[in-house]
Amino acid sequence: MKKENSLILLFTVFAVFNAFTQTPKDSLNFYLDNAKGSNKVKYLKKAITLLEDLKIDSLIQQTSIEYAKESYFAKDTLGLTFSKNKLQNHFKRSKDSFSLAKAYHFAALNHKIKNNLDSSFYYYQESKKIFIGLKDSVETGRRLLSMAILQVKELDYLGCETTAVEGLKYIEPAQDKEYRTLISLYQTLGNALGHLNRPKESRAYYLKARELAKFNTVTSRREVNYLNLYNNIGATYVDEGNFDKAITLFKEGLRFDSIAIKYPRQYQNLLGSLSSAYFRQGKIDKAISGYKTVLEGRKKSKFVYAESVSHSLLAEAYMKNKQYNLAKKHAYIGLELGKKTRNNEQVLDCLQFLTELTFGETAKKHFKEYVQLKDSLFTRERTRKNQFAKVIYETEKKKKKTPV
């Protein structure tokens, strides 16, 4: 027993001695070498602090960028701010504009998480401007993609078209290395054109994205790309009224091996689209059956935002089938979930249905709420478009004033 106690004491003394004799450089190497798995974020942050203490500028940039990426995936706004500040300090010391451009990039991501979309757009634009000056086509194209996605989200489809086309100019020449960015640009542009009622043009970009998807070496990503594109391309045929062609594509996607288990969200989207095509054909019972299956899947996965869509679609289908009690039930649930998830499109649809499904003062109340929301969304949409346009205009004006 005494021998065991002596050994424990010896190991403890050795550990304490080792901790005191270990140099900051040894600690740095330890943190950098072991920054993986559950320790990745913690050790990267410790490494950045040591790098600053040791004044090793060559690694601060790279490590701060890696830490910011991990913070973004974790939706950690404090981590993003930490990295942004370190990169700005690095720029002040080294005058390396790449660091400043990435600092603006991470500021944009920070505002995106907080849903400050006009501020996010501003910092994407500032980051893009620096990368153009650095002649970094890839980073420029990536910022333009992020801006285009924000514009689609805020219903600025014409602005998105302009931004995405500009992004293609930078990314298409590097398509072998940047196929993922290029696929996203094609899909985003296709989405915008679809909303602008230009289905043929939209489909052309979706087809370009599908052609590139085969280069994705990660099987799950490649398969998700294909399934999303079956859905998107099919939707363009629905918009043209070619329901048979759309249904063929939706069914082809749904035949993918074990899709409901491997890719439940893509399965739900494709089945929902197939059901909507049936609805447009007047096959209401078929549509309702599909919508109900999709709703159950979304409930199971707790995808509340999409649940509101399912309830809205069921309300519309039951109204068409003259099953008014069921229609009202789903409209009220869709309204509640739509408000909870800020899914304003579904809130508007459900309010419109309830205006028709209720009577007297209740119907008037729903109609008044519908008009107020519609007006506020129109005002917000117009304001946001103007803000985006102003950011681009002011940046371009500053660029022209800057002496060469």
Side-chain angles (χ1 to χ4, degrees):
M1 190 71 178
K2 284 183 181 178
K3 189 176 181 182
E4 285 180 11
N5 287 338
S6 299
L7 280 171
I8 291 167
L9 181 62
L10 182 63
F11 280 126
T12 304
V13 170
F14 178 77
V16 170
F17 176 76
N18 191 49
F20 278 109
T21 56
Q22 192 175 46
T23 68
K25 238 172 186 177
D26 292 332
S27 298
L28 174 62
N29 289 333
F30 171 80
Y31 291 136
L32 289 174
D33 289 343
N34 293 280
K36 48 196 161 192
S38 59
N39 288 322
K40 187 168 186 179
V41 174
K42 181 173 69 175
Y43 283 178
L44 281 172
K45 189 170 185 179
K46 287 179 181 291
I48 292 166
T49 304
L50 276 171
L51 284 164
E52 282 203 317
D53 291 342
L54 294 166
K55 296 183 172 52
I56 306 176
D57 268 0
S58 57
L59 283 176
I60 287 175
Q61 184 187 80
Q62 179 187 336
T63 312
S64 296
I65 290 170
E66 192 61 31
Y67 181 71
K69 286 179 187 174
E70 295 300 318
S71 299
Y72 176 67
F73 294 140
K75 300 289 182 266
D76 177 5
T77 55
L78 291 175
L80 279 166
T81 301
F82 176 84
S83 287
K84 180 204 77 172
N85 291 340
K86 297 303 177 188
L87 286 164
Q88 283 180 320
N89 291 338
H90 182 254
F91 166 71
K92 286 173 187 172
R93 288 193 305 271
S94 66
K95 303 304 177 194
D96 184 344
S97 297
F98 188 92
S99 285
L100 183 61
K102 291 305 287 184
Y104 286 148
H105 176 200
F106 297 135
L109 292 178
N110 206 331
H111 283 291
K112 182 183 172 186
I113 292 171
K114 295 173 182 174
N115 211 36
N116 301 328
L117 300 188
D118 50 344
S119 296
S120 181
F121 191 86
Y122 169 79
Y123 282 110
Y124 279 137
Q125 176 76 357
E126 290 296 304
S127 178
K128 180 205 83 172
K129 183 176 69 175
I130 295 172
F131 281 124
I132 288 174
L134 291 171
K135 294 183 169 49
D136 190 327
S137 297
V138 168
E139 289 284 350
T140 302
R142 288 174 181 172
R143 293 306 84 73
L144 284 160
L145 168 61
S146 298
M147 291 162 67
I149 289 170
L150 281 188
Q151 287 170 303
V152 164
K153 187 173 181 180
E154 290 302 301
L155 314 183
D156 181 10
Y157 302 122
L158 282 170
C160 170
E161 181 184 4
T162 302
T163 304
V165 168
E166 186 185 353
L168 290 175
K169 291 177 190 173
Y170 289 97
I171 296 296
E172 279 186 328
Q175 68 174 44
D176 292 346
K177 294 177 183 176
E178 281 298 303
Y179 61 85
R180 283 175 61 187
T181 306
L182 192 51
I183 288 169
S184 295
L185 276 167
Y186 285 147
Q187 287 184 305
T188 303
L189 183 52
N191 293 344
L193 293 169
H195 285 291
L196 291 167
N197 298 314
R198 290 152 64 184
K200 192 174 180 182
E201 291 175 72
S202 173
R203 184 163 60 248
Y205 283 106
Y206 289 145
L207 290 169
K208 284 186 174 189
R210 188 172 71 177
E211 184 59 29
L212 282 176
K214 65 188 177 189
F215 295 116
N216 199 326
T217 54
V218 180
T219 303
S220 59
R221 285 179 182 162
R222 183 176 64 252
E223 289 174 347
V224 164
N225 267 329
Y226 278 131
L227 292 170
N228 287 339
L229 287 161
Y230 271 120
N231 197 48
N232 292 341
I233 294 166
T236 66
Y237 285 111
V238 170
D239 291 341
E240 289 178 336
N242 189 345
F243 302 120
D244 290 337
K245 180 69 175 175
I247 286 168
T248 299
L249 281 165
F250 296 143
K251 284 183 173 179
E252 196 175 332
L254 287 165
R255 281 196 294 271
F256 186 88
D257 180 46
S258 306
I259 180 176
I261 298 165
K262 289 181 182 175
Y263 307 112
R265 193 161 291 191
Q266 280 65 39
Y267 169 72
Q268 291 157 15
N269 290 341
L270 281 160
L271 182 55
S273 296
L274 175 65
S275 304
S276 291
Y278 284 143
F279 179 82
R280 294 277 294 272
Q281 283 186 321
K283 299 173 182 175
I284 310 303
D285 289 335
K286 264 188 161 183
I288 289 172
S289 175
Y291 289 151
K292 284 166 76 175
T293 302
V294 172
L295 176 58
E296 287 310 307
R298 286 171 174 170
K299 279 182 179 177
K300 191 176 176 182
S301 61
K302 297 181 180 177
F303 188 13
V304 181
Y305 185 93
E307 272 185 64
S308 69
V309 178
S310 292
H311 283 292
S312 174
L313 291 169
L314 277 165
E316 184 180 23
Y318 280 125
M319 276 178 70
K320 194 79 172 174
N321 241 15
K322 299 183 180 177
Q323 294 171 274
Y324 299 120
N325 286 334
L326 283 170
K328 189 155 58 169
K329 170 191 160 187
H330 285 285
Y332 273 121
I333 298 172
L335 178 63
E336 182 190 346
L337 295 180
K339 285 180 176 178
K340 185 177 177 181
T341 57
R342 293 194 287 185
N343 189 345
N344 289 315
E345 188 178 344
Q346 305 313 316
V347 170
L348 283 174
D349 284 348
C350 290
L351 285 170
Q352 188 174 19
F353 298 148
L354 289 166
T355 300
E356 298 176 46
L357 290 164
T358 55
F359 304 95
E361 290 303 314
T362 305
K364 283 181 188 175
K365 174 181 161 250
H366 291 315
F367 180 70
K368 184 181 177 183
E369 192 179 345
Y370 173 86
V371 171
Q372 287 174 339
L373 178 59
K374 186 91 172 169
D375 287 346
S376 70
L377 289 175
F378 177 75
T379 302
R380 194 190 80 169
E381 179 187 333
R382 188 172 55 189
T383 303
R384 191 76 78 191
K385 284 179 185 177
N386 290 340
Q387 285 173 330
F388 288 161
K390 189 179 176 185
V391 166
I392 293 170
Y393 170 73
E394 292 294 339
T395 304
E396 292 303 313
K397 195 166 75 171
K398 271 194 248 174
K399 194 163 71 173
K400 285 176 184 175
K401 284 184 178 178
T402 305
V404 180

